[in-house]
């Protein structure tokens, strides 16, 4: 289903409220084609402007610059190397506690990998198209893996 385009006034209000600037290509899409359609719909809800299908808890991550993948590769490897292994623990309860703490840290780290971006399209098999709104890589990007 194609959503009606947004007006320039609505686009400016959304940018101001979200604290970001949309790339010109996306602004043109919103203004001339649709507020949704093949892409996640940008809509005004009771909680403000946001994209349908995107987790609203990620709203605070939007202002954080989208990181270049090279910037976190070493930290990612280090985190994966620290994953608790069951054989290192005397009992299953201690292992589960340690693993849950590690998994929570890994989840927070994963969220930061896509800070400054929203999912525009889900393609399945871990592929999503992101619209990055902050950082040196602002624009469109396809990524593999979890995006929030």
């Amino acid at each position: 289903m194609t959503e009606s385009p947004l007006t320039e006034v609505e686009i400016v209000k959304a940018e101001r409220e979200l604290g970001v600037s949309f790339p010109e290509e996306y602004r043109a899409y919103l203004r001339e084609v649709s507020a949704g359609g093949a892409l996640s719909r940008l809509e005004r809800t009771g909680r403000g402007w946001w994209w349908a299908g995107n987790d609203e808890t990620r709203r605070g991550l939007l202002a954080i610059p989208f990181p270049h993948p090279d910037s976190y590769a070493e930290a990612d490897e280090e985190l994966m190397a620290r994953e608790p292994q069951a054989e290192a623990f005397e009992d299953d309860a201690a292992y589960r506690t340690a693993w849950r703490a590690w998994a929570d840290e890994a989840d927070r780290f994963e969220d930061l990998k896509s800070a400054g971006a929203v999912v525009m399209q889900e393609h399945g098999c871990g592929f999503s198209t992101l619209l990055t709104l902050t950082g040196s890589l602002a624009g469109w990007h396809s990524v593999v893996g979890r995006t929030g």
Side-chain angles (χ1 to χ4, degrees), residues 84 86 89 91-103:
F89 294 86
D91 62 66
D92 193 50
Y95 164 68
R96 284 195 315 266
T97 298
W99 194 89
R100 175 56 26 221
W102 174 86

Side-chain angles (χ1 to χ4, degrees), residues 18-103:
L18 294 165
V20 297
S21 295
F22 300 146
E24 188 50 44
E25 297 85 4
Y26 183 56
R27 293 176 109 263
Y29 179 84
L30 291 171
R31 201 176 41 247
E32 299 167 15
V33 180
S34 174
L39 303 178
S40 294
R41 182 177 65 255
L42 177 61
E43 59 190 2
R44 179 94 179 135
T45 69
R47 297 178 72 186
W49 287 97
W50 196 246
W51 292 266
N54 280 264
D55 185 348
E56 286 219 26
T57 63
R58 294 187 48 80
R59 190 178 286 268
L61 294 172
L62 202 54
I64 298 171
F66 182 81
H68 190 285
D70 292 344
S71 71
Y72 57 77
E74 189 175 311
D76 197 25
E77 287 178 21
E78 187 272 330
L79 177 65
M80 293 303 118
R82 288 191 295 110
E83 180 179 1
Q85 302 299 312
E87 59 274 5
F89 294 86
E90 291 186 24
D91 62 66
D92 193 50
Y95 164 68
R96 284 195 315 266
T97 298
W99 194 89
R100 175 56 26 221
W102 174 86

Side-chain angles (χ1 to χ4, degrees), residues 2 30 40 64 107 141-142:
T2 301
L30 291 171
S40 294
I64 298 171
D107 286 346
H141 296 277
S142 291

Side-chain angles (χ1 to χ4, degrees), residues 86-134:
E87 59 274 5
F89 294 86
E90 291 186 24
D91 62 66
D92 193 50
Y95 164 68
R96 284 195 315 266
T97 298
W99 194 89
R100 175 56 26 221
W102 174 86
D104 289 346
E105 180 183 356
D107 286 346
R108 287 188 301 276
F109 188 73
E110 284 296 319
D111 283 344
L112 290 174
K113 287 180 183 180
S114 58
V118 292
V119 174
M120 284 286 108
Q121 288 181 312
E122 291 283 353
H123 304 289
C125 298
F127 285 91
S128 298
T129 297
L130 296 181
L131 173 59
T132 60
L133 297 167
T134 59

